[in-house]
Amino acid sequence: MTSAPLRKDANRNWQRIVAVGRRYVDEGTPIQLNDVAKAASVGVATVYRHFPSPESLMEAVAAPGLESLETLAEQALAKDDPWTALEDFLLDAAHASITDASIPAVMAAPSVLPATAERKHRLGRLFGELLARAQAHGAVSPTLTAADVAPLMCAVAYAARLRSSDSVEARAAHARRYLSILLRGVHQQP
């Protein structure tokens, strides 16, 4: 992706490529740039000019979801009750990871785009603040770390996917239930 404003035709091509990438992610189809070019009705060189790797396209697909998570974390930090703020954000993050497969894929992989690396860093910092606030309030054990939470969130998402192959909504409901159970286990009364 380029940082300079794109010409109208280049912007249209970029949008088409990302839309095809989004469709592939939603279908569970691996992103192959040559296939994306064909499906987007653009030349292969056009796809590679915008996205030098499948990972860079995946990051572009995930960008709106990551931006939304960042906004949700900022909103959570504005809440008065530190426990509710942490719980609400984690429930939102679990829902996002179930409903948008690009988010866990991008969060688990090394970033190839600087903007993605920055966004992931900000998300980590915001989550760290949410956790520290809850710990300072006595709502969460001081032994729980942000590094502990990531694999626990992955486990919740994995269990929800195993439990329900029906619909995204059913998987999201299972993830919410499992995460609520997990959160009850880490919650302490201040």
Side-chain angles (χ1 to χ4, degrees), residues 59-152:
E59 289 182 19
V61 168
L66 294 175
E67 186 176 323
S68 176
L69 279 175
E70 191 176 345
T71 299
L72 290 167
E74 290 167 347
Q75 291 170 348
L77 278 170
K79 293 181 180 180
D80 290 333
D81 179 22
W83 170 253
T84 300
L86 178 66
E87 180 180 40
D88 289 350
F89 175 72
L90 288 174
L91 288 167
D92 288 337
H95 185 267
S97 75
I98 291 292
T99 59
D100 184 350
S102 68
I103 291 175
V106 167
M107 291 299 291
S111 301
V112 295
L113 302 175
T116 304
E118 290 171 20
R119 183 160 282 125
K120 286 167 59 174
H121 177 75
R122 280 193 305 273
L123 266 170
R125 182 183 50 76
L126 291 167
F127 176 72
E129 288 178 37
L130 284 165
L131 181 58
R133 269 184 68 208
Q135 288 170 326
H137 190 257
V140 177
S141 168
T143 62
L144 183 69
T145 68
D148 294 332
V149 176
L152 293 173

Side-chain angles (χ1 to χ4, degrees), residues 11-185:
N11 186 50
R12 252 190 325 271
N13 288 339
W14 188 92
Q15 295 292 336
R16 288 164 63 182
I17 295 163
V18 172
V20 169
R22 170 87 269 162
R23 189 177 78 228
Y24 281 18
V25 168
D26 292 344
E27 294 170 350
T29 303
I31 292 178
Q32 300 294 325
L33 296 182
N34 290 358
D35 295 342
V36 169
K38 184 177 179 182
S41 300
V42 299
V44 172
T46 299
V47 173
Y48 279 91
R49 190 169 26 259
H50 289 289
F51 302 102
S53 67
E55 294 80 14
S56 61
L57 177 53
M58 179 68 85
E59 289 182 19
V61 168
L66 294 175
E67 186 176 323
S68 176
L69 279 175
E70 191 176 345
T71 299
L72 290 167
E74 290 167 347
Q75 291 170 348
L77 278 170
K79 293 181 180 180
D80 290 333
D81 179 22
W83 170 253
T84 300
L86 178 66
E87 180 180 40
D88 289 350
F89 175 72
L90 288 174
L91 288 167
D92 288 337
H95 185 267
S97 75
I98 291 292
T99 59
D100 184 350
S102 68
I103 291 175
V106 167
M107 291 299 291
S111 301
V112 295
L113 302 175
T116 304
E118 290 171 20
R119 183 160 282 125
K120 286 167 59 174
H121 177 75
R122 280 193 305 273
L123 266 170
R125 182 183 50 76
L126 291 167
F127 176 72
E129 288 178 37
L130 284 165
L131 181 58
R133 269 184 68 208
Q135 288 170 326
H137 190 257
V140 177
S141 168
T143 62
L144 183 69
T145 68
D148 294 332
V149 176
L152 293 173
M153 293 292 288
C154 290
V156 164
Y158 180 74
R161 285 187 190 96
L162 280 181
R163 173 67 196 265
S164 177
S165 60
D166 300 333
S167 67
V168 172
E169 294 81 22
R171 288 190 299 273
H174 286 298
R176 185 174 187 83
R177 180 173 176 270
Y178 297 151
L179 183 57
S180 294
I181 293 167
L182 177 72
L183 289 172
R184 280 196 300 271

